[in-house]
């Protein structure tokens, strides 16, 4: 099972039901897309794009696929020198987002979300739809589906200076994607999903 990374405030938005879409940069970037086609196999539908250099690229996640959300975590201090793959699934897990104060006294060092094993994940999303488009083609409705809050409110870990949801999303995008800023208008895969509890 694949994992997917989100910033903590975006995980919070997913849990609260405010975020049901995510955009991920297509790498390497095509200049333009000639064709998009879907291939369904064993109940999963994958999106393939044909780029300007005639190279086909497949979206990382497929429609119908369930992936786990990777988040910052830690386990008991006795495992601090143990690689994640060698920690048994009976170990206690604490998450940086909504930590457990009772567990905190016996827990070790915080670990990167990149290394969260699947068995330790507590949130999963099911991919419902995948498509490709230019970043700046995002609609106001899609910006809200990206977790942007109503006008006049702030995301917990991000302060914006715009009222329009698309402009707010552009600022949020630039705070996370330094190599592919909003102004560069990169091609992205758009994943629509729903939260599934463990």
């Amino acid at each position: 099972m694949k994992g997917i990374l989100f910033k903590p405030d975006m995980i919070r938005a997913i849990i609260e039901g405010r975020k049901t879409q995510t955009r991920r940069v297509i790498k390497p970037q095509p200049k333009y897309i000639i064709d998009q086609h879907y291939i369904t196999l064993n109940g999963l539908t994958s999106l393939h794009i044909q780029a300007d250099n005639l190279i086909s690229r497949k979206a990382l996640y497929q429609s119908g696929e369930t992936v786990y959300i990777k988040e910052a975590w830690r386990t008991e201090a006795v495992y601090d020198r143990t690689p994640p793959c060698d920690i048994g699934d009976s170990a206690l897990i604490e998450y940086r987002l909504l930590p457990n104060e009772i567990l905190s006294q016996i827990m070790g060092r915080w670990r990167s979300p990149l290394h969260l094993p699947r068995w330790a994940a507590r949130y999963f999303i099911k991919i419902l739809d995948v498509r490709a488009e230019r970043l700046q083609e995002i609609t106001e409705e899609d910006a809200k589906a990206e977790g942007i809050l109503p006008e006049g409110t702030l995301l917990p870990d991000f302060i914006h200076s715009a009222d329009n949801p698309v402009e707010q999303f552009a600022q949020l995008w630039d705070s996370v994607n330094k190599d592919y800023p909003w102004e560069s208008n990169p091609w992205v895969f758009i994943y629509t999903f729903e939260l599934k509890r463990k």
Side-chain angles (χ1 to χ4, degrees):
M1 179 182 285
K2 298 172 193 164
I4 188 169
L5 286 168
F6 290 100
K7 293 286 188 183
D9 52 347
M10 293 294 98
I11 295 174
R12 196 176 293 115
I14 292 168
I15 296 165
E16 294 171 359
R18 293 185 289 105
K19 182 170 177 65
T20 57
Q21 263 186 21
T22 188
R23 282 158 171 72
R24 304 294 163 121
V25 173
I26 297 173
K27 296 178 184 178
Q29 271 291 288
K31 291 180 182 172
Y32 52 89
I33 292 177
I34 298 169
D35 181 46
Q36 298 186 44
H37 58 277
Y38 295 88
I39 299 172
T40 301
L41 185 64
N42 298 326
L44 300 177
T45 302
S46 58
L47 171 63
H48 296 256
I49 61 168
Q50 190 76 35
D52 50 280
N53 54 7
L54 301 181
I55 294 175
S56 179
R57 294 186 185 91
K58 178 182 168 186
L60 181 60
Y61 307 106
Q62 304 174 55
S63 295
E65 182 176 25
T66 298
V67 298
Y68 71 97
I69 296 176
K70 294 184 171 190
E71 54 183 314
W73 63 292
R74 63 182 177 178
T75 188
E76 297 128 286
V78 296
Y79 294 115
D80 271 358
R81 296 189 188 281
T82 306
C85 61
D86 293 334
I87 298 172
D89 60 8
S90 61
L92 296 174
I93 301 293
E94 182 182 26
Y95 306 92
R96 183 162 283 177
L97 182 65
L98 306 172
N100 184 319
E101 292 180 18
I102 297 170
L103 287 181
S104 293
Q105 300 171 13
I106 62 167
M107 301 309 262
R109 63 180 173 83
W110 287 108
R111 295 177 184 242
S112 166
L114 288 171
H115 305 298
L116 178 74
R118 187 200 62 76
W119 63 262
R122 60 181 173 166
Y123 299 117
F124 298 79
I125 57 173
K126 182 176 182 180
I127 307 299
L128 303 176
D129 183 57
V130 184
R131 68 183 195 275
E133 67 183 26
R134 289 278 196 181
L135 179 64
Q136 292 180 13
E137 292 178 28
I138 190 171
T139 64
E140 189 170 310
E141 183 179 315
D142 282 350
K144 291 176 182 174
E146 282 275 1
I148 295 299
L149 291 167
E151 295 176 19
T153 58
L154 302 176
L155 294 172
D157 299 330
F158 172 71
I159 298 174
H160 61 79
S161 60
D163 292 329
N164 179 289
V166 172
E167 292 172 6
Q168 289 178 32
F169 175 76
Q171 291 178 6
L172 178 61
W173 177 269
D174 282 347
S175 75
V176 176
N177 296 279
K178 305 298 184 192
D179 295 335
Y180 298 92
W182 174 264
E183 286 303 316
S184 70
N185 197 21
W187 285 96
V188 292
F189 285 122
I190 298 98
Y191 300 97
T192 301
F193 59 84
E194 65 181 3
L195 177 66
K196 297 184 76 67
R197 300 283 177 173
K198 189 169 184 176

